[in-house]
Amino acid sequence: MYDFAVVGVGPAGARFARRAAEAGYDVVAFEKGEVGTPLACSGHVSDDIWGYVPDEAREELLQNEVYGARFRVGGPDSTPYPFYKEERVSNVIDRVELDRTLADCAREAGADVREGHTVTGVDERDDRVVLEVKKADRVGGGTETVEARMVAGCDGPVSRVRRAVGLPEPEEKLHGVLAFDRTPDGGDFVDVHLTAPTFFAWRIPRGEAGVEYGLAAPPGVEVNDMFDALTDAYDVETDHFCSGAIPVGPPETVTTDRVFLIGDAAAQTKPFTGGGIRYGMAAADAAAETIDPADPATLDDYESAWRDELAREIRLGKLIRKCYSLPEPVQRLGLRALSGEIGVHMDRPSSFFSRTHLRRLLR
């Protein structure tokens, strides 16, 4: 019997598998397809990402560096309101290769990472969790039963683990889409359009890899039509279209007696961007540091630890998102007043109130 079984080997699952294996636990991790595919989200991340990967991975992962963002209330021809730093604000990375790099780190730490394995059943018992796992034909086919003292559900916004054990859903799920124009663009500003209901659309230059276009909106909005309008406005043709759910708002609990959720499955995401790479890996670290698979009571410690780390940022992120729904004249007034050099961290809304940022505003 394993100490931990991890369902889903995205950033959160791979990070937890690595940290738990480094702590000496016996870890198995299941990914239903190939790690990193299909692409499900953007690769626009803060400098914090480099603390989670080996130093030598940076050159292979990095596609472009970003120094600011142009916010617009309308389309590409509308007035831009620039927010920028003199130093790098963020990075554009190869999102698929990030997942593969993190999975390799987990393997090197001793975790048994199995691709082509789909968890189809989760049976939580008093002293263990029994998983039913279907193997893809390319890895031998058939099914197997795997037992673990605890299970980490890291299987994304539409989590099978979450449903199987009856944990509550995220507060909401947005519908996100993105695609790529392969024309190289080394620009150092992203474009953010406050044109999607309660959220936004974006354009991210990815260096030699081209340009990413995307948007997200609540259920019921015709996001495909809005995406077509966005790319038509930029007069580009895109390929590799991706679509998926973006969970926003963690539920009151993400644990049972022997199961815990991490990452998108727990809606550990930024409400104002939908990004969850850094938040999910921070929660994975909290889980590895607090959970003892032989002691279910330590799951309460995990609940406290990840919320101590992220709850304030998530709460402030919700306030920022409310600004996306303000009347357009108010949005323009606010963007005009606040635009210019900033002192904020893209993963930490609390940095908006930092001394560095307030000094720059006063300038």
Side-chain angles (χ1 to χ4, degrees):
M1 182 164 60
Y2 292 94
D3 292 313
F4 292 107
V6 182
V7 183
V9 191
R15 179 67 178 181
F16 176 76
R18 173 188 177 180
R19 292 293 310 280
E22 288 174 340
Y25 293 117
D26 196 6
V27 181
V28 63
F30 301 110
E31 176 59 39
K32 65 181 180 180
E34 295 183 11
V35 169
T37 59
L39 177 68
C41 70
S42 178
H44 183 213
V45 295
S46 73
D47 270 356
D48 287 359
I49 195 67
W50 305 125
Y52 294 95
V53 299
D55 291 342
E56 61 270 20
R58 180 187 176 103
E59 183 175 353
E60 186 171 4
L61 291 175
L62 183 64
Q63 294 179 329
N64 198 17
E65 295 181 337
V66 174
Y67 286 76
R70 290 180 291 259
F71 280 77
R72 303 174 190 269
V73 178
D77 296 329
S78 62
T79 302
Y81 299 95
F83 293 76
Y84 62 90
K85 282 184 176 182
E86 294 301 324
E87 66 271 19
R88 181 178 58 247
V89 173
S90 55
N91 310 268
V92 184
I93 61 169
D94 184 330
R95 182 66 179 79
V96 172
E97 192 59 35
L98 172 67
D99 283 17
R100 292 173 177 166
T101 298
L102 293 168
D104 286 343
C105 289
R107 290 188 179 100
E108 291 166 7
D112 180 4
V113 178
R114 303 182 188 179
E115 299 178 77
H117 285 65
T118 301
V119 173
T120 58
V122 182
D123 181 11
E124 185 176 12
R125 302 179 183 177
D126 289 341
D127 62 343
R128 69 191 65 195
V129 183
V130 180
L131 300 179
E132 295 297 323
V133 184
K134 181 179 180 180
K135 296 186 288 185
D137 290 342
R138 65 182 178 87
V139 293
T143 60
E144 63 178 318
T145 299
V146 175
E147 297 184 346
R149 289 182 173 84
M150 288 191 179
V151 166
C154 309
D155 50 340
V158 188
S159 170
R160 183 189 295 269
V161 173
R162 185 178 64 224
R163 295 196 306 269
V165 299
L167 282 168
E169 296 286 313
E171 292 177 10
E172 63 174 319
K173 295 191 191 86
L174 303 175
H175 184 187
V177 296
L178 60 86
F180 301 90
D181 168 21
R182 300 301 173 177
T183 306
D185 188 333
D188 57 6
F189 270 62
V190 302
D191 287 282
V192 178
H193 298 270
L194 301 179
T195 51
T198 80
F199 218 67
F200 61 86
W202 64 85
R203 179 187 186 276
I204 301 174
R206 305 185 69 93
E208 292 300 315
V211 181
E212 175 188 318
Y213 294 88
L215 65 87
V221 175
E222 294 297 330
V223 293
N224 290 358
D225 292 343
M226 294 192 69
F227 181 81
D228 289 342
L230 174 71
T231 53
D232 287 348
Y234 275 102
D235 193 23
V236 295
E237 294 185 4
T238 57
D239 61 17
H240 201 74
F241 185 84
C242 307
S243 176
I246 301 173
V248 176
E252 291 184 2
T253 180
V254 298
T255 60
T256 62
D257 289 339
R258 291 193 172 271
V259 175
F260 55 99
L261 306 178
I262 311 177
D264 283 5
Q268 292 160 338
T269 61
K270 295 181 287 185
F272 59 105
T273 70
I277 295 174
R278 189 258 172 186
Y279 282 18
M281 290 197 291
D285 284 351
E289 291 163 6
T290 56
I291 298 174
D292 178 351
D295 183 4
T298 57
L299 290 173
D300 290 338
D301 298 329
Y302 165 59
E303 287 272 22
S304 297
W306 83 258
R307 293 179 194 277
D308 287 347
E309 173 78 13
L310 299 175
R312 181 168 181 255
E313 302 296 351
I314 291 174
R315 185 171 62 254
L316 291 173
K318 288 181 180 180
L319 293 176
I320 292 175
R321 185 181 165 200
K322 289 181 182 296
C323 296
Y324 302 162
S325 300
L326 293 173
E328 288 187 11
V330 178
Q331 288 180 333
R332 292 192 180 92
L333 181 64
L335 289 170
R336 187 181 305 118
L338 297 174
S339 64
E341 188 176 3
I342 57 174
V344 299
H345 187 292
M346 67 175 287
D347 287 336
R348 301 189 183 101
S350 57
S351 62
F352 185 86
F353 304 99
S354 68
R355 291 181 180 180
T356 299
H357 182 60
L358 293 175
R359 279 199 299 267
R360 290 182 180 177
L361 283 179
L362 291 172
R363 262 185 225 166

